[in-house]
mmCIF file with all atom_site columns, all heavy atoms in Angstrom:
data_model
loop_
_atom_site.group_PDB
_atom_site.id
_atom_site.type_symbol
_atom_site.label_atom_id
_atom_site.label_alt_id
_atom_site.label_comp_id
_atom_site.label_asym_id
_atom_site.label_entity_id
_atom_site.label_seq_id
_atom_site.pdbx_PDB_ins_code
_atom_site.Cartn_x
_atom_site.Cartn_y
_atom_site.Cartn_z
_atom_site.occupancy
_atom_site.B_iso_or_equiv
_atom_site.pdbx_formal_charge
_atom_site.auth_seq_id
_atom_site.auth_comp_id
_atom_site.auth_asym_id
_atom_site.auth_atom_id
_atom_site.pdbx_PDB_model_num
ATOM 1  N N   . SER A 1 95  ? 7.729  -7.632  27.339 1.00 48.00 ? 95  SER A N   1
ATOM 2  C CA  . SER A 1 95  ? 7.241  -8.335  28.524 1.00 48.00 ? 95  SER A CA  1
ATOM 3  C C   . SER A 1 95  ? 8.401  -9.124  29.101 1.00 48.00 ? 95  SER A C   1
ATOM 4  O O   . SER A 1 95  ? 9.188  -9.729  28.368 1.00 48.00 ? 95  SER A O   1
ATOM 5  C CB  . SER A 1 95  ? 6.108  -9.338  28.116 1.00 48.00 ? 95  SER A CB  1
ATOM 6  O OG  . SER A 1 95  ? 5.039  -8.652  27.568 1.00 48.00 ? 95  SER A OG  1
ATOM 7  N N   . VAL A 1 96  ? 8.552  -9.102  30.410 1.00 40.00 ? 96  VAL A N   1
ATOM 8  C CA  . VAL A 1 96  ? 9.665  -9.791  31.039 1.00 40.00 ? 96  VAL A CA  1
ATOM 9  C C   . VAL A 1 96  ? 9.555  -11.315 30.758 1.00 40.00 ? 96  VAL A C   1
ATOM 10 O O   . VAL A 1 96  ? 8.476  -11.904 30.897 1.00 40.00 ? 96  VAL A O   1
ATOM 11 C CB  . VAL A 1 96  ? 9.643  -9.582  32.570 1.00 40.00 ? 96  VAL A CB  1
ATOM 12 C CG1 . VAL A 1 96  ? 10.672 -10.435 33.253 1.00 40.00 ? 96  VAL A CG1 1
ATOM 13 C CG2 . VAL A 1 96  ? 9.789  -8.097  32.915 1.00 40.00 ? 96  VAL A CG2 1
ATOM 14 N N   . GLY A 1 97  ? 10.617 -11.883 30.239 1.00 42.00 ? 97  GLY A N   1
ATOM 15 C CA  . GLY A 1 97  ? 10.598 -13.280 29.874 1.00 42.00 ? 97  GLY A CA  1
ATOM 16 C C   . GLY A 1 97  ? 9.978  -13.566 28.537 1.00 42.00 ? 97  GLY A C   1
ATOM 17 O O   . GLY A 1 97  ? 9.773  -14.721 28.158 1.00 42.00 ? 97  GLY A O   1
ATOM 18 N N   . ARG A 1 98  ? 9.597  -12.566 27.767 1.00 47.00 ? 98  ARG A N   1
ATOM 19 C CA  . ARG A 1 98  ? 8.959  -12.757 26.461 1.00 47.00 ? 98  ARG A CA  1
ATOM 20 C C   . ARG A 1 98  ? 9.924  -13.469 25.530 1.00 47.00 ? 98  ARG A C   1
ATOM 21 O O   . ARG A 1 98  ? 11.059 -13.114 25.382 1.00 47.00 ? 98  ARG A O   1
ATOM 22 C CB  . ARG A 1 98  ? 8.547  -11.408 25.871 1.00 47.00 ? 98  ARG A CB  1
ATOM 23 C CG  . ARG A 1 98  ? 7.732  -11.471 24.608 1.00 47.00 ? 98  ARG A CG  1
ATOM 24 C CD  . ARG A 1 98  ? 7.168  -10.120 24.326 1.00 47.00 ? 98  ARG A CD  1
ATOM 25 N NE  . ARG A 1 98  ? 6.459  -10.119 23.016 1.00 47.00 ? 98  ARG A NE  1
ATOM 26 C CZ  . ARG A 1 98  ? 6.833  -9.424  21.976 1.00 47.00 ? 98  ARG A CZ  1
ATOM 27 N NH1 . ARG A 1 98  ? 7.969  -8.690  22.036 1.00 47.00 ? 98  ARG A NH1 1
ATOM 28 N NH2 . ARG A 1 98  ? 6.186  -9.435  20.824 1.00 47.00 ? 98  ARG A NH2 1
ATOM 29 N N   . GLN A 1 99  ? 9.431  -14.533 24.822 1.00 52.00 ? 99  GLN A N   1
ATOM 30 C CA  . GLN A 1 99  ? 10.247 -15.356 23.975 1.00 52.00 ? 99  GLN A CA  1
ATOM 31 C C   . GLN A 1 99  ? 10.437 -14.728 22.577 1.00 52.00 ? 99  GLN A C   1
ATOM 32 O O   . GLN A 1 99  ? 10.026 -15.270 21.603 1.00 52.00 ? 99  GLN A O   1
ATOM 33 C CB  . GLN A 1 99  ? 9.687  -16.764 23.894 1.00 52.00 ? 99  GLN A CB  1
ATOM 34 C CG  . GLN A 1 99  ? 9.609  -17.510 25.206 1.00 52.00 ? 99  GLN A CG  1
ATOM 35 C CD  . GLN A 1 99  ? 11.005 -17.711 25.822 1.00 52.00 ? 99  GLN A CD  1
ATOM 36 O OE1 . GLN A 1 99  ? 11.923 -18.167 25.149 1.00 52.00 ? 99  GLN A OE1 1
ATOM 37 N NE2 . GLN A 1 99  ? 11.128 -17.337 27.062 1.00 52.00 ? 99  GLN A NE2 1
ATOM 38 N N   . SER A 1 100 ? 11.084 -13.588 22.583 1.00 64.00 ? 100 SER A N   1
ATOM 39 C CA  . SER A 1 100 ? 11.362 -12.938 21.341 1.00 64.00 ? 100 SER A CA  1
ATOM 40 C C   . SER A 1 100 ? 12.408 -11.879 21.565 1.00 64.00 ? 100 SER A C   1
ATOM 41 O O   . SER A 1 100 ? 12.473 -11.196 22.604 1.00 64.00 ? 100 SER A O   1
ATOM 42 C CB  . SER A 1 100 ? 10.092 -12.238 20.794 1.00 64.00 ? 100 SER A CB  1
ATOM 43 O OG  . SER A 1 100 ? 10.421 -11.415 19.672 1.00 64.00 ? 100 SER A OG  1
ATOM 44 N N   . LEU A 1 101 ? 13.354 -11.793 20.626 1.00 79.00 ? 101 LEU A N   1
ATOM 45 C CA  . LEU A 1 101 ? 14.376 -10.794 20.685 1.00 79.00 ? 101 LEU A CA  1
ATOM 46 C C   . LEU A 1 101 ? 14.141 -9.662  19.629 1.00 79.00 ? 101 LEU A C   1
ATOM 47 O O   . LEU A 1 101 ? 15.065 -9.001  19.196 1.00 79.00 ? 101 LEU A O   1
ATOM 48 C CB  . LEU A 1 101 ? 15.781 -11.436 20.450 1.00 79.00 ? 101 LEU A CB  1
ATOM 49 C CG  . LEU A 1 101 ? 16.262 -12.373 21.542 1.00 79.00 ? 101 LEU A CG  1
ATOM 50 C CD1 . LEU A 1 101 ? 17.577 -13.088 21.114 1.00 79.00 ? 101 LEU A CD1 1
ATOM 51 C CD2 . LEU A 1 101 ? 16.520 -11.591 22.845 1.00 79.00 ? 101 LEU A CD2 1
ATOM 52 N N   . GLY A 1 102 ? 12.879 -9.539  19.272 1.00 78.00 ? 102 GLY A N   1
ATOM 53 C CA  . GLY A 1 102 ? 12.526 -8.639  18.226 1.00 78.00 ? 102 GLY A CA  1
ATOM 54 C C   . GLY A 1 102 ? 12.983 -7.193  18.477 1.00 78.00 ? 102 GLY A C   1
ATOM 55 O O   . GLY A 1 102 ? 13.558 -6.520  17.557 1.00 78.00 ? 102 GLY A O   1
ATOM 56 N N   . THR A 1 103 ? 12.805 -6.671  19.676 1.00 82.00 ? 103 THR A N   1
ATOM 57 C CA  . THR A 1 103 ? 13.174 -5.271  19.948 1.00 82.00 ? 103 THR A CA  1
ATOM 58 C C   . THR A 1 103 ? 14.692 -5.127  19.898 1.00 82.00 ? 103 THR A C   1
ATOM 59 O O   . THR A 1 103 ? 15.186 -4.097  19.397 1.00 82.00 ? 103 THR A O   1
ATOM 60 C CB  . THR A 1 103 ? 12.667 -4.880  21.345 1.00 82.00 ? 103 THR A CB  1
ATOM 61 O OG1 . THR A 1 103 ? 11.292 -5.160  21.468 1.00 82.00 ? 103 THR A OG1 1
ATOM 62 C CG2 . THR A 1 103 ? 12.865 -3.383  21.547 1.00 82.00 ? 103 THR A CG2 1
ATOM 63 N N   . PHE A 1 104 ? 15.429 -6.111  20.355 1.00 87.00 ? 104 PHE A N   1
ATOM 64 C CA  . PHE A 1 104 ? 16.912 -6.086  20.269 1.00 87.00 ? 104 PHE A CA  1
ATOM 65 C C   . PHE A 1 104 ? 17.367 -6.100  18.787 1.00 87.00 ? 104 PHE A C   1
ATOM 66 O O   . PHE A 1 104 ? 18.193 -5.309  18.404 1.00 87.00 ? 104 PHE A O   1
ATOM 67 C CB  . PHE A 1 104 ? 17.463 -7.310  21.005 1.00 87.00 ? 104 PHE A CB  1
ATOM 68 C CG  . PHE A 1 104 ? 18.938 -7.517  20.771 1.00 87.00 ? 104 PHE A CG  1
ATOM 69 C CD1 . PHE A 1 104 ? 19.866 -6.627  21.314 1.00 87.00 ? 104 PHE A CD1 1
ATOM 70 C CD2 . PHE A 1 104 ? 19.395 -8.556  19.973 1.00 87.00 ? 104 PHE A CD2 1
ATOM 71 C CE1 . PHE A 1 104 ? 21.236 -6.744  21.100 1.00 87.00 ? 104 PHE A CE1 1
ATOM 72 C CE2 . PHE A 1 104 ? 20.769 -8.742  19.795 1.00 87.00 ? 104 PHE A CE2 1
ATOM 73 C CZ  . PHE A 1 104 ? 21.670 -7.848  20.338 1.00 87.00 ? 104 PHE A CZ  1
ATOM 74 N N   . PHE A 1 105 ? 16.794 -7.010  17.968 1.00 90.00 ? 105 PHE A N   1
ATOM 75 C CA  . PHE A 1 105 ? 17.160 -7.036  16.544 1.00 90.00 ? 105 PHE A CA  1
ATOM 76 C C   . PHE A 1 105 ? 16.803 -5.751  15.835 1.00 90.00 ? 105 PHE A C   1
ATOM 77 O O   . PHE A 1 105 ? 17.473 -5.318  14.923 1.00 90.00 ? 105 PHE A O   1
ATOM 78 C CB  . PHE A 1 105 ? 16.474 -8.230  15.892 1.00 90.00 ? 105 PHE A CB  1
ATOM 79 C CG  . PHE A 1 105 ? 17.007 -9.524  16.322 1.00 90.00 ? 105 PHE A CG  1
ATOM 80 C CD1 . PHE A 1 105 ? 16.158 -10.588 16.636 1.00 90.00 ? 105 PHE A CD1 1
ATOM 81 C CD2 . PHE A 1 105 ? 18.374 -9.789  16.379 1.00 90.00 ? 105 PHE A CD2 1
ATOM 82 C CE1 . PHE A 1 105 ? 16.638 -11.852 17.024 1.00 90.00 ? 105 PHE A CE1 1
ATOM 83 C CE2 . PHE A 1 105 ? 18.864 -11.015 16.718 1.00 90.00 ? 105 PHE A CE2 1
ATOM 84 C CZ  . PHE A 1 105 ? 18.024 -12.039 17.092 1.00 90.00 ? 105 PHE A CZ  1
ATOM 85 N N   . TYR A 1 106 ? 15.688 -5.158  16.293 1.00 88.00 ? 106 TYR A N   1
ATOM 86 C CA  . TYR A 1 106 ? 15.258 -3.849  15.711 1.00 88.00 ? 106 TYR A CA  1
ATOM 87 C C   . TYR A 1 106 ? 16.365 -2.810  15.912 1.00 88.00 ? 106 TYR A C   1
ATOM 88 O O   . TYR A 1 106 ? 16.711 -2.104  14.955 1.00 88.00 ? 106 TYR A O   1
ATOM 89 C CB  . TYR A 1 106 ? 13.953 -3.440  16.454 1.00 88.00 ? 106 TYR A CB  1
ATOM 90 C CG  . TYR A 1 106 ? 13.336 -2.124  16.049 1.00 88.00 ? 106 TYR A CG  1
ATOM 91 C CD1 . TYR A 1 106 ? 12.232 -2.144  15.215 1.00 88.00 ? 106 TYR A CD1 1
ATOM 92 C CD2 . TYR A 1 106 ? 13.773 -0.969  16.538 1.00 88.00 ? 106 TYR A CD2 1
ATOM 93 C CE1 . TYR A 1 106 ? 11.615 -0.959  14.860 1.00 88.00 ? 106 TYR A CE1 1
ATOM 94 C CE2 . TYR A 1 106 ? 13.226 0.251   16.177 1.00 88.00 ? 106 TYR A CE2 1
ATOM 95 C CZ  . TYR A 1 106 ? 12.107 0.228   15.342 1.00 88.00 ? 106 TYR A CZ  1
ATOM 96 O OH  . TYR A 1 106 ? 11.541 1.422   14.994 1.00 88.00 ? 106 TYR A OH  1
#
Side-chain angles (χ1 to χ4, degrees):
S95 301
V96 176
R98 186 168 175 247
Q99 296 301 308
S100 172
L101 291 173
T103 310
F104 170 70
F105 290 134
Y106 180 101

